[in-house]
Amino acid sequence: MNGFTLLRPVLLDSTLNSKWYGVVHRSEYRTHFVPQICVLQSKKFPEKLDETMKTISKNLARSQILDAIEIYGSKFFFSGNGSQFFIKGVIYQQVPSDDEQGSVATNLARASADDLYVDPLSDATSCERDIPYLQRLQTNVVRSYGIDPSKNHSQCLDELANAGIYVLVDLPAPGLTIGNNNPVWNDALYDRYTQVIDAMHNFTNLLGFVVGDNVVQGIGQDDAGPYIKAAVRDMKAYIRQKNYRAIPVGYVSDIIQGNSQVIDPVSKDAWQYLNCGNPNETIDFFGGNAVSFCKGSSYESSGYSNATGELSDYSIPTFLAGYGCSNGHERSFDEIKAIYSHTMASVWSGGIIYEYFKQGPDPGYGLVSVAGSEVSILSNFEDVSTNMASVTPTGTSSTSYQPSNTAASCPEAGATQLPPNPRAAVVSAGTSSISSTSSTSSSPSATGSPQLPQPARGGLPTGAKAGIGVGVVVLVLLLAAILFVFYKRKLANAKRRDGTNTSDQWNKNELAADSVDREARGYNHMAASNPRAEIEGAMLNREVAADRPIVEAPGDSAVRTEMPTKAADSVSTPPGISR
């Protein structure tokens, strides 16, 4: 058993009245672990061997756990053995079947999440169908543009883990993205992004999250750059607040203008801006889209050489997040040999092919076409498979690697003010994720755009302090009112006690006026809460007043209170009221 590490005995199958046991071992094979059965014992040979072996494979798959991928400096490493990880990936995303073009405009017109996009990681049957083909391409990463966080992804992610495949997941969805012309960072986007994080964080074969793809068209105060950076800041803070593992959050952008050799200047500003300043606000990785390497292209003529030079001193991992010639007829995938050569592998951490599924009219960009459970291999499939089989990138280990690159300097045009966290109340006060350059002022900036207030850094917010002050004032007034009422009652009681002892000094006028006033106030209070009491109160007022004379207020003969003289017996009773 040379080269294997004994793990544990596992019950493989007990469905055929015969318990099968195996001793599970694992050996390191390139960048993933392959479970192997070394010993099988049975009391009797099963009649349905094929069915049993399928059950065995599934049970072994459930026990397979991949090492999480970690970032150190500008490279990815396996968390277990510390060897460098190179991405050999493919875009894994289908559009709804009734929209062959898959246009964004058509997608946005759809009614529900299921119509907007197909979540490839929630369909276990499709994952199981596609994994053998992904393995033939030597795939170790799939990137999905959009998932539905309300669905279950466990079975598909487990199947991918068993095949040694990690996933890179985009946080936006059609219709829920920051946007480049009129960028926003609001409650709806925050909730969407955090829901995806909650749904995926527990899988160790999650490579990371993409906060945006080709969104930034500028880095000024009113451009998308600050909004992307704010989203990165808030998602990294959310991951820390929830005590999830340190899952990388990154950004993807074009790096080469079309099929030229020229570096996209807007993209260059973006990757520098998103890498500068407060580490709590900067991206953890950068993915570059490149569609310039076609048949007959070279490392130099494709612009790959220029891009490698530009990013050679970048302080975080870089990889090609979507590559393949933009002209479907000119795709040969010879760039694979360049991407995993020593020259590029010293800067880049591999790449992701655009794309696995054929979509749109011929020639399309896919490597396979699918119809239900059937998979048809297209011409470029073998090109990728052959080229991937010919490359073996050489890397380093986390123990011998010493990062030397430093974060970029912030471009002069870059905004220093970021939009606030739209859900600031859910971020713990101890999380210091807001830029030191942020302001709480709502006055316009130098560019004339309004600056939204920033979350408070510590202590009580201004609104809370104002609320406490108002509460104290109300409490003081309430206590004063209570004391005044007690004082008045005490004074009245004292006068009554005096009248009991010396009846000839009793002030009959004051007693009568006070009695009428108290009775009227008491019945009015009843009427305010009960229509029936209003009627009864009016009747009782008449009865009490019938026996009383006209009362003059002391010292003012012009103020008179006339009491009703009509006998109480003459008052009629309204129907339904019992007296």
Side-chain angles (χ1 to χ4, degrees), residues 525-548:
H525 172 71
M526 292 170 58
S529 59
N530 190 335
R532 178 189 179 98
E534 182 177 4
I535 298 173
E536 293 179 342
M539 294 167 57
L540 290 173
N541 273 334
R542 293 183 181 182
E543 292 176 357
V544 171
D547 298 328
R548 302 212 174 161

Side-chain angles (χ1 to χ4, degrees), residues 89-108:
V90 64
I91 301 295
Y92 189 68
Q93 186 80 48
Q94 274 187 290
V95 296
S97 58
D98 62 337
D99 179 21
E100 293 185 356
Q101 298 297 329
S103 66
V104 174
T106 304
N107 282 343
L108 292 179

Side-chain angles (χ1 to χ4, degrees), residues 32-52:
H32 61 273
F33 293 105
V34 180
Q36 301 189 18
I37 305 169
C38 297
V39 179
L40 285 176
Q41 295 178 342
S42 177
K43 294 179 180 179
K44 63 178 182 179
F45 190 84
E47 296 178 356
K48 299 181 179 179
L49 181 59
D50 290 340
E51 180 180 345
T52 301

